[in-house]
Amino acid sequence: TVSVLYCWQVPPGKTRRQVDRENMATQQDRGDAAAAAAAHDDERKELLSTPVAASPASANPSGNNGNGNATAAPAKGGENADEGAFIPLQYRIPFYLFLNASSSIGIVFTNKMVFQMYDFKYGTLLTFIHFIFTFIGLEICRWCGAFERKPVKIMDVLPLSLSFCGFVALTNLSLVYNTVGFYQLMKVLTTPMIVTIQTVFYGETFPMNIKLSLALTCVGVTIASVSDPEANFIGTLVALSALLVTSMYQIWVGTKQKELGCNSYQLLYYQAPLSALILLPIIPLFDDLSTLKAWPNNETITAILISSVLAFLVNLSIFLVIGKTSPVTYNVLGHFKLTVILTGGFVIFGQQPDIKVITGILITLAGVFWYTHLKQNQTPAKK
């Protein structure tokens, strides 16, 4: 939706910056420079009078996204691409938050429906389809002038693409073998895993209260996971593998962005197609394609298409939310998504609530909220 509406504003083959320059030149040629200056002044007054949320560069100079993961400040598409120019200024941030929340929550439930209700238990194949759709969506964004393609050597992106491939594929396979609640709780362990890796292998140090909050989170996940009646060995093994690969990917991606001088769009533009090519020959190793004897029915295809579009929108909205809101807003949004997904697992898919599972979830949420509170209190001290 963002890509299509943005295209409506910018002619094919041109960026918004080029269009703005041509319009200004036309006004000057007609001797209408005074009117142009007045219009520019009115626009400047409107922008100054409208409150805008602080960007990560100003709200969090340490470069930490509030989840314990270092992130590079997202560069604008091209040089000064105006994301969401078709949306009135005062509605942009609410729209970005809605887009991220709806797509992030929607893709979890849609993927689970594809696997469980439509019996399309091919997590690796679905990941391949997601990569293709993500690349197509990015190509549309690039064509519309949202960002510029930056030449990058394939070998420089290959290690990151391998981890990206494993991260997404194993995450989808985890959803195939596990309940929504178990799947989401294991994802919560990403931050403790990152802290552990950074401590052991990178010599990073963390305050004791941070470690205690993460320990509380781990205790909650353990109680909920052990008490889950549908927990199984294969699902747990896949979830733990996804956890390890996801953590390594999140550590590497920030380093690679800085090393290559790319923004999120430019890096993902190379990652998506390269990861699809890597994944293609190994699909039969993880998915039993012999059971795919007939072409999926229309309802299954529709669900897969919706899931693929949501996969692209998740990537797009993360870029917009991190770039346009404060770390506090981003974390509150994350808590909202976590709570909705855990609740939805019981409501939508009929998981039987167990007192031990509920207790584990509540302990996990307490640890997550405590950790976030500590991280947000650290930010002012670093300014």
Side-chain angles (χ1 to χ4, degrees):
T1 305
V2 172
S3 301
V4 172
L5 292 175
Y6 196 94
C7 287
W8 180 70
Q9 296 284 326
V10 182
K14 295 183 179 180
T15 65
R16 176 161 296 282
R17 193 176 185 183
Q18 291 173 331
V19 172
D20 290 342
R21 286 177 176 174
E22 290 174 2
N23 290 341
M24 183 60 73
T26 302
Q27 286 180 331
Q28 291 175 347
D29 291 342
R30 292 176 179 176
D32 204 14
H40 176 75
D41 186 62
D42 289 341
E43 181 182 3
R44 178 176 174 275
K45 290 179 181 178
E46 180 182 355
L47 288 171
L48 291 175
S49 63
T50 306
V52 182
S55 67
S58 59
N60 197 4
S62 64
N64 192 292
N65 67 4
N67 288 324
N69 308 326
T71 56
K76 306 259 177 151
E79 288 183 358
N80 292 306
D82 186 12
E83 304 101 332
F86 60 92
I87 305 173
L89 192 61
Q90 64 270 31
Y91 299 124
R92 288 183 194 175
I93 291 177
F95 174 74
Y96 297 155
L97 294 174
F98 170 78
L99 183 65
N100 180 258
S102 59
S103 59
S104 299
I105 295 170
I107 193 171
V108 173
F109 294 135
T110 303
N111 284 354
K112 190 62 178 177
M113 289 176 64
V114 169
F115 298 142
Q116 183 172 313
M117 295 184 178
Y118 297 108
D119 203 32
F120 188 85
K121 300 183 183 297
Y122 310 101
T124 314
L125 178 58
L126 183 65
T127 303
F128 172 80
I129 298 172
H130 285 179
F131 286 157
I132 298 299
F133 267 77
T134 297
F135 176 70
I136 293 173
L138 288 170
E139 187 63 37
I140 293 173
C141 288
R142 187 186 68 84
W143 182 72
C144 294
F147 70 97
E148 295 177 359
R149 180 169 53 193
K150 181 173 182 176
V152 176
K153 293 181 180 179
I154 298 299
M155 293 307 296
D156 290 338
V157 188
L158 183 59
L160 191 62
S161 297
L162 286 168
S163 62
F164 181 62
C165 187
F167 147 54
V168 181
L170 287 171
T171 298
N172 281 337
L173 285 174
S174 176
L175 199 55
V176 172
Y177 293 106
N178 297 306
T179 62
V180 171
F182 185 93
Y183 156 86
Q184 192 63 30
L185 286 173
M186 292 302 290
K187 287 185 67 177
V188 170
L189 292 179
T190 301
T191 299
M193 177 63 77
I194 289 175
V195 169
T196 302
I197 293 173
Q198 289 179 327
T199 301
V200 175
F201 296 101
Y202 294 91
E204 297 281 346
T205 58
F206 298 88
M208 180 56 66
N209 53 6
I210 291 290
K211 294 178 182 179
L212 290 175
S213 67
L214 295 177
L216 182 64
T217 301
C218 294
V219 169
V221 171
T222 302
I223 293 174
S225 302
V226 172
S227 306
D228 190 340
E230 297 186 44
N232 58 87
F233 175 76
I234 295 179
T236 303
L237 184 63
V238 171
L240 289 173
S241 300
L243 171 64
L244 178 61
V245 176
T246 300
S247 301
M248 292 306 301
Y249 173 77
Q250 291 193 13
I251 292 173
W252 289 340
V253 70
T255 304
K256 273 296 179 183
Q257 278 190 243
K258 295 177 182 178
E259 178 186 323
L260 299 175
C262 296
N263 63 31
S264 301
Y265 278 151
Q266 292 168 328
L267 197 56
L268 189 60
Y269 182 79
Y270 286 97
Q271 280 181 229
L274 190 56
S275 296
L277 290 175
I278 294 171
L279 205 60
L280 186 59
I282 65 174
I283 290 176
L285 299 178
F286 291 93
D287 295 340
D288 185 9
L289 298 181
S290 63
T291 59
L292 190 62
K293 298 179 180 179
W295 187 259
N297 58 40
N298 292 336
E299 290 184 358
T300 304
I301 293 175
T302 300
I304 292 173
L305 290 176
I306 293 174
S307 171
S308 301
V309 172
L310 288 173
F312 168 68
L313 291 179
V314 167
N315 288 312
L316 176 69
S317 61
I318 287 174
F319 178 80
L320 294 173
V321 168
I322 292 179
K324 298 297 182 183
T325 66
S326 69
V328 175
T329 303
Y330 185 72
N331 277 283
V332 171
L333 180 66
H335 298 331
F336 169 75
K337 292 186 292 185
L338 173 62
T339 305
V340 171
I341 291 173
L342 289 174
T343 305
F346 292 104
V347 176
I348 298 176
F349 296 99
Q351 298 174 22
Q352 295 299 319
D354 181 272
I355 186 62
K356 291 183 179 179
V357 175
I358 298 297
T359 301
I361 290 175
L362 292 176
I363 293 174
T364 301
L365 290 174
V368 170
F369 276 82
W370 183 19
Y371 171 80
T372 304
H373 173 72
L374 294 173
K375 293 300 292 184
Q376 297 307 327
N377 285 344
Q378 280 184 352
T379 302
K382 292 182 180 180
K383 285 188 177 181

